Amino acid sequence: MEATRYRHEDYRETADWLLEHTEQRPKVAIICGSGLGGLADLLDNRVVFRYEDIPRFPTSTVQGHAGQLVFGSLQGRECVCMQGRFHFYEGYDMHKVTYPVRVFFLLGVKTLIVTNAAGGLNSSYNVGDIMLIKDHINMPGFAGQNPLCGHNDERFGERFPCMSDAYDCELRTLAKQTAEEQGCIKFLQEGVYCMLAGPTYETIAECRVLQVLGADAVGMSTVPEVVVARHCGLRVLGLSLITNKVVTDYDSTEKANHQEVLRTTELRTEDLQRLVRHLINKI
Ligand code: HPA
C-alpha cells in the first residue's frame, strides 16, 4: 500500500476550515467505536459535518459507522465526536487512519477519549464488561505499520515518543471513580488491549498466543490513533467494550461475528455513554 504523505498544511487546512464553520472550541475529542456512535447524538448545540464535506478528510465505509464529525456540548463541556472511525482493514493507510487526531490537536483539543468493541481474551472477563485500557500491544507496529513511520514533523512531536505512559493514569482514576458513582464498577475491568490489523477474527492458535503475550482484549482499531495522539501530547483515555469472548478451545462451536459484536454493543451502549458523559464533567 502506497502511504499517503500529508504535510502540516494539509492538517492545518482541515482544522482552519472547521474553525471557520463552527464557533465551538472543544478541548476534548471522542472517537466512537463500532456501534458506539450514539454518544454523539447526546450532544447539545450540535454542529455536524459529514466527512465527505470536510476538506481533505478521509471517508468511512464500514457498516454501523455514520461518518460524521459532531461538535457540541456534553454536560456543558464542549467536545468533538468522530461518529465512525477509519480502520486499517478498510484499506486506509496509517496516515489516513490517524488524520483526524492531528486535526484535533490543531483545533486545540487536549484530551482524547477512544472507545472500541473488543474480544475478551482474559478468561475472567464477561461479555458486556467495559475495560479501561491501561496499555496496548501494537501488533501492526511489530510488522512495520506504525503511523509515525516516515518524516517526523517536530511541530507535532518528537522523533522517538515515549509510549510507557500512553494511557493517562489520572484519567483512569477519574474513570474508576465515575464508574463507582454510576453503578458501573461491577463490570469495569482494566487491562491490555492488543490491536491486530483484521479484518479476519483471530484463529484459536492466535488467541492463545495473545493470551500468553499478556493481552486482555483484542480489536482492530484504536492503537494508531493513540500513538499519534501521544506523539502530539494529547492525554488519552481508552475504553473497550467486551462484545464477545474469543474462542480458545478446539471443542467450542462458538464463532466470532460482527452481528454479535453489534448486539452486545447495543446492550451496553447506555452504560458506556453514561460513564463518558459523567467523566467529561471531571476532566
Ligand atoms: N477480535 C477482534 N476484534 C474484535 C473482536 C474480536 O473478537 N470483537 C470485537 N472486535
Side-chain angles (χ1 to χ4, degrees):
M1 192 192 310
E2 183 64 29
T4 322
R5 301 230 176 276
Y6 291 114
R7 297 157 308 157
H8 194 272
E9 302 91 274
D10 298 320
Y11 301 101
R12 188 75 262 173
E13 183 187 333
T14 306
D16 285 346
W17 186 90
L18 289 166
L19 291 170
E20 270 168 33
H21 286 77
T22 172
E23 289 179 351
Q24 300 193 33
R25 298 292 178 262
K27 294 278 180 276
V28 178
I30 305 172
I31 302 180
C32 305
S34 293
L36 297 166
L39 195 63
D41 300 327
L42 302 179
L43 303 190
D44 300 316
N45 307 319
R46 285 157 44 93
V47 181
V48 181
F49 303 102
R50 294 184 315 167
Y51 293 160
E52 62 256 45
D53 298 331
I54 307 173
R56 301 203 177 276
F57 222 74
T59 45
S60 181
T61 61
V62 82
Q63 210 187 336
H65 291 249
Q68 51 190 26
L69 206 56
V70 184
F71 288 73
S73 336
L74 255 191
Q75 308 274 101
R77 293 293 305 270
E78 282 186 346
C79 52
V80 53
C81 276
M82 271 184 86
Q83 212 170 21
R85 62 147 56 88
F86 307 111
H87 295 91
F88 186 68
Y89 64 72
E90 291 176 273
Y92 299 110
D93 63 63
M94 288 296 184
H95 298 114
K96 276 197 174 153
V97 168
T98 57
Y99 188 84
V101 178
R102 287 186 166 172
V103 171
F104 294 152
F105 168 68
L106 293 176
L107 289 177
V109 163
K110 304 289 181 209
T111 303
L112 178 69
I113 300 177
V114 279
T115 67
N116 61 46
L121 291 162
N122 186 316
S123 60
S124 72
Y125 287 8
N126 294 308
V127 169
D129 282 354
I130 294 173
M131 185 186 86
L132 269 175
I133 305 178
K134 75 170 177 201
D135 201 352
H136 72 222
I137 299 173
N138 182 2
M139 207 57 97
F142 284 15
Q145 291 288 348
N146 187 307
L148 299 179
C149 283
H151 168 73
N152 185 60
D153 189 328
E154 294 278 337
R155 286 170 287 185
F156 288 113
E158 59 189 327
R159 172 77 284 188
F160 301 109
C162 174
M163 282 295 141
S164 60
D165 57 354
Y167 298 87
D168 193 89
C169 204
E170 206 183 334
L171 291 177
R172 276 187 283 136
T173 304
L174 279 182
K176 280 179 263 188
Q177 271 172 16
T178 311
E180 191 99 55
E181 289 157 13
Q182 295 302 317
C184 307
I185 200 79
K186 13 178 218 312
F187 51 86
L188 192 78
Q189 308 281 1
E190 192 168 19
V192 176
Y193 176 87
C194 179
M195 180 201 176
L196 299 189
T200 46
Y201 287 113
E202 301 67 41
T203 64
I204 292 169
E206 285 164 351
C207 289
R208 291 178 174 192
V209 167
L210 299 182
Q211 286 174 327
V212 170
L213 291 181
D216 298 297
V218 57
M220 306 174 192
S221 68
T222 303
V223 168
E225 293 101 313
V226 171
V227 165
V228 168
R230 291 303 298 146
H231 180 241
C232 62
L234 305 189
R235 297 206 299 166
V236 172
L237 178 78
L239 295 164
S240 292
L241 176 59
I242 306 300
T243 53
N244 57 289
K245 293 191 75 142
V246 302
V247 180
T248 53
D249 174 2
Y250 285 101
D251 294 329
S252 169
T253 53
E254 283 190 39
K255 293 182 179 191
N257 66 88
H258 192 52
Q259 279 66 40
E260 185 195 359
V261 168
L262 291 179
R263 252 197 323 273
T264 314
T265 312
E266 261 177 45
L267 292 179
R268 266 287 182 255
T269 199
E270 261 184 48
D271 293 297
L272 194 68
Q273 286 172 8
R274 193 154 37 88
L275 186 61
V276 174
R277 218 160 10 102
H278 288 88
L279 177 68
I280 278 210
N281 225 344
K282 303 183 195 226
I283 294 177

